[in-house]
Amino acid sequence: MLDGKVAIIVGGAGQLGRASSLLFAREGAKVMVADVKAADAKRVEDEVKAAGGDAASFQIDVTDPEQSKQLADATLKRFGTIDILVYTPYYPHGSDLIEDVSPANWKKSIDVNLNGAVYCSQSVIRTMKQKRSGRIINISAGASVGAPKMAAYSSSKAALVVFTKCIAAELGPYGITANAIVPGSFGPRERFGQAVLDFVKRRYPLGRLGTPEELANGVLFLASPMADYITAVALPIDGGFTGVLRAYNFGEEPA
Ligand SMILES: NC(=O)c1ccc[n+]([C@@H]2O[C@H](COP(=O)([O-])OP(=O)(O)OC[C@H]3O[C@@H](n4cnc5c(N)ncnc54)[C@H](O)[C@@H]3O)[C@@H](O)[C@H]2O)c1
């Protein structure tokens, strides 16, 4: 589905970044795996190559706008163009009441979750405009609707959705789409406490965590020709969590 396309996967060493890198390469894309964790990004690069794909890796701290320019330059130098940008990094926020959120925690959340996406988009847009095609996919979060003790994370992720829609409006005339994915909880059970697992079982219609591969399928869809006419969308991939109201179930809990 992505034959010959060049994709930058920012946060490529993470769960979703890795799954997307492997899937994109399997679908014919050349992948630049970018992450602050250089050794982990290189490991993903090696995995892609071991599976027969084409990849490179790049160390980036997304909070520095200069480094996103360097990432775009390195991708152009290595692969000749840029077709797809996927932005996945986030700052592991504390779980604090708003009066306890430190200025440093607040700033870091905005820097990584929002500002980094802005810088990365800015660094690829010139190339995409020249080509009159391109795909930008930003990873938000179900918590972007607003959640207690998650103000820094939720606010930055909500702003990321609006940013994505703003650039979709600007870039549509150039044949560039920009979409967000709004994940529910995904990954191995060990990453979550029992309270979250219980919550997922009760409140997600599908009653389970997602896998990084299931999320990556959505990223691939938005990057592929199947989504040619889709832009400015925030696509939930969350086992139905944000799509239904489970408050009025008259005490009937799913088994
Ligand atoms: N896993 C979930 O349950 C879940 C739920 C909702 C939303 N999300 C969102 O999905 C996205 C991917 O989640 P994940 O579970 O794959 O995360 P992850 O922690 O596995 O991966 C994130 C990657 O981003 C990288 N990163 C962090 N700060 C960076 C920086 N300053 N510069 C460059 N890279 C940096 C990390 O090194 C890591 O490799 C995140 O944006 C997250 O907010 C995840």
Side-chain angles (χ1 to χ4, degrees), residues 7-237:
I8 299 177
I9 314 278
V10 190
Q15 299 189 91
L16 178 56
R18 173 181 170 274
S20 301
S21 298
L22 289 166
L23 181 60
F24 275 37
R26 214 162 57 227
E27 291 294 327
K30 299 163 193 170
V31 181
M32 177 62 90
V33 183
D35 205 289
V36 74
K37 296 178 185 158
D40 292 351
K42 178 74 172 75
R43 245 191 305 280
V44 175
E45 174 194 340
D46 292 344
E47 272 190 87
V48 170
K49 286 177 170 165
D54 193 358
S57 56
F58 188 89
Q59 184 174 28
I60 179 175
D61 178 350
V62 295
T63 62
D64 176 0
E66 276 312 308
Q67 294 187 34
S68 54
K69 287 185 197 150
Q70 289 159 9
L71 168 62
D73 289 346
T75 307
L76 289 171
K77 193 163 174 218
R78 174 70 167 76
F79 293 123
T81 192
I82 301 166
D83 298 291
I84 301 160
L85 170 70
V86 179
Y87 188 88
T88 77
Y90 82 107
Y91 179 62
H93 56 95
S95 184
D96 291 326
L97 292 169
I98 185 59
E99 62 268 35
D100 298 326
V101 176
S102 70
N105 195 355
W106 181 270
K107 185 172 182 311
K108 194 79 196 261
S109 298
I110 303 290
D111 274 347
V112 177
N113 301 351
L114 177 63
N115 295 346
V118 175
Y119 306 145
C120 286
S121 288
Q122 287 176 320
S123 74
V124 300
I125 279 170
R126 183 170 296 120
T127 300
M128 290 182 177
K129 273 187 167 179
Q130 279 166 0
K131 298 177 68 132
R132 300 193 78 81
S133 73
R135 297 292 167 91
I136 296 174
I137 299 157
N138 292 320
I139 310 302
S140 180
S144 59
V145 296
K149 296 189 172 180
M150 297 179 83
Y153 181 73
S154 296
S155 304
S156 59
K157 289 292 191 177
L160 181 59
V161 170
V162 178
F163 167 70
T164 305
K165 293 183 178 192
C166 290
I167 61 173
E170 288 187 23
L171 300 176
Y174 296 91
I176 302 165
T177 68
N179 293 293
I181 284 178
V182 186
S185 303
F186 66 92
R189 294 174 63 84
E190 305 76 62
R191 273 181 69 139
F192 299 91
Q194 193 56 46
V196 174
L197 296 174
D198 291 344
F199 178 84
V200 167
K201 190 166 182 207
R202 277 187 289 112
R203 295 293 179 219
Y204 284 38
L206 294 181
R208 63 172 177 83
L209 297 168
T211 66
E213 289 73 23
E214 286 170 324
L215 268 289
N217 285 339
V219 182
L220 172 64
F221 168 67
L222 289 175
S224 79
M226 293 179 77
D228 273 351
Y229 198 56
I230 299 177
T231 195
V233 156
L235 174 68
I237 304 182

